[in-house]
Amino acid sequence: MIRFLLLFSRQGKLRLQKWFTPLTDREKKKVIRDMTMLVLPRPPRSSNFVQWRDLKIVYKRYASLYFCAGLEQHDNELLALEVLHRYVELLDKYFGNVCELDIIFNFEKAYFILDEFLMGGEILETSKLAVGATMEEADTLQETMEEYMSKPAY
Amino acid sequence: MPAPIRLRELIRTIRTARTQAEEREMIQKECAAIRSSFREEDNTYRCRNVAKLLYMHMLGYPAHFGQLECLKLIASQKFTDKRIGYLGAMLLLDERQDVHLLMTNCIKNDLNHSTQYVQGLALCTLGCMGSSEMCRDLAGEVEKLLKTSNSYLRKKAALCAVHVIRKVPELMEMFLPATKNLLSEKNHGVLHTSVVLLTEMCERSPDMLAHFRKLVPQLVRILKNLIMSGYSPEHDVSGISDPFLQVRILRLLRILGKSDDDSSEAMNDILAQVATNTETSKNVGNAILYETVLTIMDIKSESGLRVLAINILGRFLLNNDKNIRYVALTSLLKTVQTDHNAVQRHRSTIVDCLKDLDVSIKRRAMELSFALVNGNNIRGMMKELLYFLDSCDPEFKADCASGVFLAAEKYAPSKRWHIDTIMRVLTTAGSYVRDDSVPNLIQLITNSVEMHAYTVQRLYKALLDDISQQPLVQVASWCIGEYGDLLVSGQCEEEEPIQVTEDEVLDVLEGLLVSNLSTPVTRGYALTAIMKLSTRFSSVNRIKKVVSIYGSSIDVELQQRAVEYNALFKKYDHMRPALLERMPIMEKTATNGPTEIVQTNGETEPSVVESKHPPPVTQPTNQANDLLDLLGGNDVVPVIQTTMPTKPASAGGELLDLLGDLSLSGIPPMTAYNKNGLKIDFTFERANPNPNIAVITIHASNSTEADMTDFVFQAAVPKTFQLQLLSPSSNVVPALNQGTVTQVIRVLNPQKQQLRMRIKLTYTLKGSAVQDLAEVNNFPPQSWQ
């Protein structure tokens, strides 16, 4: 299973954190710090896999954002790269040419999309269309017209 | 009271902050506003406020005061509220807070909600962060939803069930009926999550595994359909249909086929098909191939299939993509034990990977290279590995050096080659070798009798070049001390002997003593070496002078040595030749773990030069000293952890349990220590019910005329053991064997390793304090097996 998924910028600012195992706030902060220190200094042409403690770390950079996942020993790293890529595709479809600002200003939507794709550290839905359809339908349940039109709801 | 500012407004504002302090100020202000809004129980804007709080939480600011608000949102009727509420719960709450249990009822209601998206929220939250209590309470609801025909809910229920099983394994049974027709689903989401659920159950229970073996044909069919089916826009990834599902099925097949001939046979064909037909131009195809290879290697596949798998890995090694090379090296490392010959065929490619620029790949290649070294390829491999050692990053040097030493020890074609290799390591990576390699090397050199002259000559020349690498300097000093006579007499046969005078040698050794580069330990080695040369060289006066100078050294170690050596010159000169005589061949006690150099000539040493033990032993002793000193005081503190340096057992196997029989009664007692009238006996029994704990009772008795007061017994054991010392019966050991002091030691020995112990005794006898350290090695085998 995936233990955690982190998105952070090139300056190390956290944009999204999803934890699939219970950790204290302190432990989470430590992991985030370790990940940024592990991933950010790596030269551009390195492999996308690093061993860290007992986990395999898989990361990929998309424009200004690093997507970083921690896997268990028996997980398939090459497939994890596909998982990260699929998530980016889902975000891209939803936001239309997604960029880091979209994720900053609509972080809650990024979480909702993630929750339709992964659950408990495992893949929930393998079809892009299905996730997209679910998000659209769920958005219609938002209570006001304003919210539905994805104008700032809050 | 104006409406709280919108979320995106807040985000925009915070992003304009130019300094950390400015940001903090904004956040504090907003938090205060949010707090008062919460206090007013404002329903309309609660959602907005919690969303803002979550943003600030992501920036790293505390948000715990929003936890209860999340619960209120979850309980609301509005979907928007629930969405944010559940998100907040997943981000701010976890099973450590009691608050999370309050969610249980809400989740239960929402699991039965009329809107599937609300049910989905509840399932998601439960499946991501549900605690064991929550899982126990709600497992029934999850099981119900697992049987629904709504595929959206079914897939979520399946992964939720996986989480429940992970948290509360005993509940696994209750999900069994619902799994009956999971695989007949057409919906890929349900199929995928079902395979995950089945995998989880099979991994956890051998009974489930046996039960689900009958699904192999169905799984094979599904996989076949995926491969053979035409283009499906919904599931296509670069021309491959639903790779995620394919990989998951392959993984489940791996678990089902392991150690089962029939299942393995049933999947042979499909595995061959996947292995040969999968498109390898993109990463996704290679991901599937990778999983296929892992499955082939793990089940009872026929040999043709295994060779196919290893060849795929070989092809991976030549791939331009670094990730694929990395993955290949990792897999080969796993298979090198079982399919050694097949992997050997790719040895040259693997060795080439040592030169890769990528750090992760280099490390894997290094590990794999060491695994491939054998008697036939040792010379060639060592050349490559030494070259690697020369040029690699410091983070690799220690591991590489250790690996080289191990490999050299196992497969050295000749003693000279062995010593040359060691010399090469010491000169190129000398400061990175582990501390315990110094005694190992000294032992090796001592035992290669015919190479002494060659060795000391090479080490001397190395010292002339560079005295900064401490392990090299230590080994060299020791050798010069031992074999200095061979050095000056120019006896070397292996290579051109060099002309060296006694004075030149002493110059070098004295240089070590004064150099800033030398550590205290190295200085100790140098001084002892100089002393030893007093029986091998003729310039005794010079040596006497050096030794007396250090009698007033600030360094206590050096001072003590110098003072004792002085005493040797002055009062015990007649003993000097015997004491400083050539070292005998040393016997190794274990190849793993701290090397204890055991003297086999049984010479007893007079108590005056007690501390003039062979230098190699002082290093571990000093460290044990440090530990024991930390215990301090007269109170015996239960010793839980000890830190005697231990190398983790690698290929191991030496510590074989030859006796096998675990008879618990009648472990013979032994005498652990007997000196200066103090005798300590150990008696043994096994603790029930844990057979890994040995209970040792020490009995201390005193045969001198006076009582030993303030008696303290302390013990230290290697890292793999745990030790607990209970209170002694008394602090006074009565004179003339009139009574004994007893104390109980409990030793936990889970790895069943040979029991060894260092003990420290302190007591006062006739007004003067006595302190002694000893090794206890003569434990009867039954006490630790």
Side-chain angles (χ1 to χ4, degrees):
Chain A
M1 66 179 266
I2 301 174
R3 292 270 184 96
F4 57 81
L5 177 65
L6 302 174
L7 267 65
F8 46 85
S9 72
R10 294 213 280 164
Q11 290 77 36
K13 291 203 97 140
L14 192 66
R15 299 300 180 206
L16 188 141
Q17 52 176 328
K18 188 74 188 179
W19 305 92
F20 295 109
T21 49
L23 292 177
T24 62
D25 268 342
R26 202 150 158 237
E27 287 164 341
K28 286 180 190 169
K29 286 200 158 78
K30 174 112 205 325
V31 173
I32 294 167
R33 209 170 39 240
D34 283 353
M35 287 303 108
T36 51
M37 294 214 300
L38 192 63
V39 165
L40 290 174
R42 280 180 61 95
R45 288 181 170 282
S46 333
S47 80
N48 297 81
F49 311 136
V50 190
Q51 187 71 25
W52 176 82
R53 295 197 194 164
D54 63 330
L55 297 180
K56 303 197 237 200
I57 306 299
V58 177
Y59 73 93
K60 189 128 190 226
R61 191 177 133 219
Y62 287 90
S64 57
L65 272 183
Y66 281 90
F67 287 65
C68 177
L71 310 175
E72 292 179 337
Q73 283 309 313
H74 50 221
D75 287 322
N76 185 326
E77 303 97 305
L78 296 178
L79 196 73
L81 281 175
E82 295 300 318
V83 170
L84 293 179
H85 190 74
R86 172 56 66 90
Y87 183 46
V88 172
E89 284 179 325
L90 292 170
L91 290 170
D92 194 56
K93 186 81 197 296
Y94 184 81
F95 287 109
N97 249 335
V98 69
C99 63
E100 189 182 346
L101 279 178
D102 288 319
I103 300 181
I104 293 172
F105 279 92
N106 301 285
F107 68 93
E108 80 281 5
K109 295 273 167 50
Y111 276 107
F112 297 153
I113 295 171
L114 185 61
D115 286 339
E116 294 300 328
F117 175 45
L118 300 177
M119 193 170 120
E122 306 283 356
I123 299 170
L124 174 63
E125 177 57 67
T126 59
S127 156
K128 274 190 277 194
L129 299 176
V131 176
T134 306
M135 281 305 293
E136 251 195 72
E137 276 192 47
D139 281 348
T140 66
L141 293 183
Q142 305 256 138
E143 266 70 22
T144 68
M145 216 34 202
E146 191 189 356
E147 289 154 0
Y148 172 54
M149 299 280 281
S150 58
K151 274 237 164 70
Y154 317 116
Chain B
M1 163 95 190
I5 68 170
R6 293 177 185 279
L7 168 65
R8 292 173 229 291
E9 191 69 47
L10 177 69
I11 297 178
R12 211 169 295 131
T13 313
I14 291 179
R15 281 169 64 79
T16 61
R18 273 160 298 160
T19 64
Q20 186 72 19
E22 211 179 318
E23 181 184 279
R24 215 172 320 145
E25 209 182 295
M26 291 178 186
I27 302 241
Q28 274 172 356
K29 201 166 127 214
E30 185 59 35
C31 276
I34 292 178
R35 271 193 157 105
S36 38
S37 189
F38 284 162
R39 265 199 301 274
E40 288 167 18
E41 297 283 339
D42 185 330
N43 286 338
T44 330
Y45 295 112
R46 182 176 287 126
C47 188
R48 184 184 289 187
N49 286 326
V50 170
K52 287 188 287 187
L53 201 54
L54 292 180
Y55 177 73
M56 296 190 283
H57 176 252
M58 183 137 66
L59 292 179
Y61 295 92
H64 45 270
F65 57 90
Q67 288 168 0
L68 275 174
E69 302 301 313
C70 292
L71 294 179
K72 293 179 192 162
L73 283 175
I74 292 174
S76 154
Q77 291 310 311
K78 294 164 70 174
F79 183 65
T80 318
D81 281 358
K82 281 189 192 285
R83 240 182 168 185
I84 293 292
Y86 276 117
L87 178 61
M90 283 194 275
L91 287 175
L92 299 181
L93 290 173
D94 62 50
E95 40 188 65
R96 280 185 189 78
Q97 284 106 11
D98 293 328
V99 172
H100 85 280
L101 287 170
L102 296 173
M103 269 201 293
T104 315
N105 216 31
C106 282
I107 293 186
K108 188 165 189 171
N109 292 334
D110 283 341
L111 284 175
N112 291 305
H113 204 273
S114 48
T115 312
Q116 69 175 14
Y117 295 109
V118 173
Q119 289 173 292
L121 284 175
L123 280 169
C124 180
T125 307
L126 182 60
C128 279
M129 47 88 65
S131 63
S132 326
E133 297 94 339
M134 282 170 74
C135 287
R136 256 185 250 271
D137 287 339
L138 299 169
E141 304 293 328
V142 175
E143 197 258 344
K144 227 166 52 192
L145 288 169
L146 192 50
K147 297 192 278 214
T148 174
S149 53
N150 179 333
S151 42
Y152 175 77
L153 291 175
R154 211 168 181 204
K155 70 186 185 196
K156 291 207 173 195
L159 284 188
C160 199
V162 170
H163 178 82
V164 168
I165 292 174
R166 283 179 182 155
K167 282 302 207 186
V168 192
E170 304 91 67
L171 291 174
M172 186 165 32
E173 294 284 329
M174 77 183 277
F175 293 108
L176 187 53
T179 62
K180 230 202 297 232
N181 54 357
L182 275 177
L183 289 185
S184 356
E185 266 273 358
K186 288 276 177 279
N187 179 298
H188 280 223
V190 178
L191 265 180
H192 185 278
T193 55
S194 305
V195 173
V196 175
L197 177 57
L198 292 170
T199 309
E200 189 70 30
M201 292 168 111
C202 290
E203 274 174 344
R204 283 182 185 268
S205 154
D207 292 333
M208 291 286 184
L209 180 58
H211 172 82
F212 285 124
R213 279 222 171 89
K214 60 178 194 262
L215 292 176
V216 170
Q218 204 174 359
L219 289 165
V220 168
R221 224 169 23 246
I222 298 174
L223 189 52
K224 195 165 190 150
N225 282 338
L226 285 173
I227 302 171
M228 309 293 274
S229 70
Y231 174 76
S232 148
E234 206 184 338
H235 299 114
D236 180 270
V237 180
S238 305
I240 296 182
S241 193
D242 207 338
F244 304 108
L245 182 56
Q246 287 194 33
V247 166
R248 241 18 247 248
I249 292 179
L250 285 165
R251 192 158 134 190
L252 180 54
L253 287 176
R254 178 154 83 241
I255 295 171
L256 294 174
K258 198 170 183 160
S259 343
D260 186 83
D261 290 321
D262 292 328
S263 305
S264 302
E265 167 128 18
M267 46 179 97
N268 255 322
D269 283 344
I270 190 69
L271 290 173
Q273 208 178 351
V274 175
T276 43
N277 286 347
T278 307
E279 183 65 47
T280 58
S281 54
K282 293 270 176 69
N283 177 64
V284 59
N286 289 317
I288 295 177
L289 271 184
Y290 176 38
E291 196 74 32
T292 313
V293 164
L294 290 177
T295 301
I296 293 175
M297 301 313 292
D298 243 12
I299 64 172
K300 298 195 160 231
S301 46
E302 40 179 58
S303 59
L305 205 50
R306 292 182 89 84
V307 171
L308 177 60
I310 303 240
N311 287 345
I312 292 178
L313 289 180
R315 267 201 328 267
F316 273 6
L317 276 181
L318 298 167
N319 196 307
N320 280 331
D321 188 330
K322 285 195 195 292
N323 295 330
I324 295 180
R325 286 213 297 283
Y326 179 88
V327 143
L329 288 169
T330 312
S331 316
L332 285 171
L333 196 55
K334 276 191 241 172
T335 62
V336 75
Q337 307 295 342
T338 46
D339 292 82
H340 193 90
N341 292 329
V343 181
Q344 281 284 358
R345 259 177 253 136
H346 300 279
R347 195 176 68 243
S348 49
T349 323
I350 293 168
V351 167
D352 276 340
C353 289
L354 284 173
K355 306 193 182 82
D356 199 301
L357 295 166
D358 185 290
V359 164
S360 316
I361 290 184
K362 273 204 277 224
R363 179 162 287 281
R364 285 278 182 262
M366 181 182 82
E367 287 166 6
L368 193 50
S369 300
F370 279 122
L372 287 177
V373 169
N374 62 27
N376 293 329
N377 57 34
I378 177 78
R379 281 189 195 267
M381 287 296 278
M382 199 49 85
K383 217 164 81 182
E384 296 286 347
L385 288 165
L386 285 173
Y387 180 74
F388 175 70
L389 183 63
D390 254 335
S391 52
C392 68
D393 299 325
E395 60 185 289
F396 289 113
K397 291 212 192 225
D399 291 328
C400 189
S402 309
V404 167
F405 284 150
L406 264 165
E409 201 177 299
K410 272 202 244 179
Y411 302 112
S414 74
K415 285 233 159 88
R416 165 153 179 183
W417 181 94
H418 196 170
I419 290 182
D420 281 342
T421 306
I422 291 173
M423 287 289 307
R424 179 88 184 269
V425 174
L426 284 179
T427 46
T428 55
S431 26
Y432 297 97
V433 300
R434 292 202 224 282
D435 289 339
D436 60 357
S437 41
V438 170
N440 277 336
L441 296 176
I442 287 177
Q443 181 173 24
L444 175 69
I445 292 170
T446 311
N447 292 349
S448 320
V449 179
E450 64 281 10
M451 303 295 303
H452 285 168
Y454 171 73
T455 311
V456 70
Q457 182 163 296
R458 285 211 59 190
L459 283 168
Y460 179 75
K461 283 201 274 197
L463 266 193
L464 290 177
D465 267 334
D466 171 19
I467 59 167
S468 63
Q469 306 200 77
Q470 300 305 296
L472 172 63
V473 173
Q474 286 164 12
V475 174
S477 327
W478 190 92
C479 280
I480 294 175
E482 275 295 300
Y483 313 119
D485 47 325
L486 299 176
L487 185 59
V488 295
S489 64
Q491 279 180 24
C492 182
E493 286 166 1
E494 300 278 340
E495 63 174 23
E496 189 68 36
I498 56 175
Q499 309 297 333
V500 174
T501 65
E502 291 184 1
D503 276 322
E504 283 171 338
V505 173
L506 287 172
D507 282 341
V508 168
L509 286 176
E510 283 188 49
L512 292 177
L513 278 173
V514 301
S515 164
N516 285 335
L517 297 167
S518 300
T519 61
V521 171
T522 307
R523 290 207 178 91
Y525 273 86
L527 189 59
T528 305
I530 292 177
M531 186 59 189
K532 284 194 213 170
L533 290 175
S534 70
T535 53
R536 293 157 174 73
F537 281 5
S538 51
S539 32
V540 181
N541 285 328
R542 179 175 174 178
I543 294 176
K544 267 197 205 168
K545 224 166 51 183
V546 172
V547 165
S548 65
I549 291 174
Y550 281 90
S552 43
S553 160
I554 294 180
D555 181 336
V556 176
E557 264 295 317
L558 276 184
Q559 192 191 103
Q560 182 173 8
R561 280 169 204 248
V563 163
E564 286 172 0
Y565 295 161
N566 252 333
L568 204 52
F569 274 124
K570 294 209 170 65
K571 287 198 272 176
Y572 299 96
D573 208 44
H574 53 283
M575 284 199 212
R576 192 162 48 86
L579 280 170
L580 300 177
E581 155 183 291
R582 193 73 104 225
M583 287 287 184
I585 306 278
M586 301 180 192
E587 209 177 77
K588 261 197 160 169
T589 52
T591 48
N592 298 319
T595 308
E596 297 304 294
I597 297 177
V598 176
Q599 300 277 61
T600 52
N601 57 5
E603 223 173 57
T604 56
E605 286 132 20
S607 45
V608 160
V609 281
E610 184 56 60
S611 59
K612 193 218 142 292
H613 263 285
V617 178
T618 51
Q619 232 177 341
T621 312
N622 282 340
Q623 279 155 314
N625 259 343
D626 293 340
L627 164 70
L628 293 179
D629 285 339
L630 287 177
L631 296 178
N634 284 324
D635 296 325
V636 177
V637 175
V639 177
I640 314 289
Q641 279 251 297
T642 60
T643 62
M644 212 157 94
T646 308
K647 222 169 166 183
S650 49
E654 279 76 16
L655 305 175
L656 290 178
D657 182 9
L658 293 171
L659 296 182
D661 182 25
L662 289 175
S663 58
L664 303 179
S665 61
I667 304 173
M670 56 174 264
T671 302
Y673 178 92
N674 190 350
K675 214 190 277 187
N676 297 334
L678 176 62
K679 178 153 158 307
I680 300 191
D681 291 333
F682 284 2
T683 58
F684 302 91
E685 58 193 32
R686 267 296 158 193
N688 274 320
N690 187 347
N692 287 336
I693 296 184
V695 180
I696 306 173
T697 309
I698 71 153
H699 308 262
S701 57
N702 167 10
S703 61
T704 67
E705 292 162 356
D707 291 355
M708 292 174 176
T709 56
D710 297 321
F711 175 80
V712 175
F713 173 93
Q714 290 167 314
V717 288
K719 225 185 233 174
T720 50
F721 301 85
Q722 280 187 15
L723 182 116
Q724 188 187 17
L725 213 44
L726 307 180
S727 303
S729 60
S730 135
N731 279 15
V732 177
V733 192
L736 297 171
N737 295 323
Q738 283 170 13
T740 60
V741 166
T742 57
Q743 193 166 4
V744 175
I745 311 172
R746 295 161 64 90
V747 180
L748 176 65
N749 181 7
Q751 295 181 23
K752 298 268 185 219
Q753 290 199 349
Q754 181 175 5
L755 186 50
R756 301 204 292 277
M757 203 183 273
R758 275 225 162 82
I759 59 178
K760 178 175 173 182
L761 309 152
T762 49
Y763 55 90
T764 308
L765 180 63
K766 294 186 198 159
S768 49
V770 181
Q771 183 182 296
D772 198 13
L773 280 169
E775 267 277 328
V776 185
N777 276 331
N778 51 333
F779 285 92
Q782 300 97 305
S783 65
W784 47 270
Q785 281 174 345

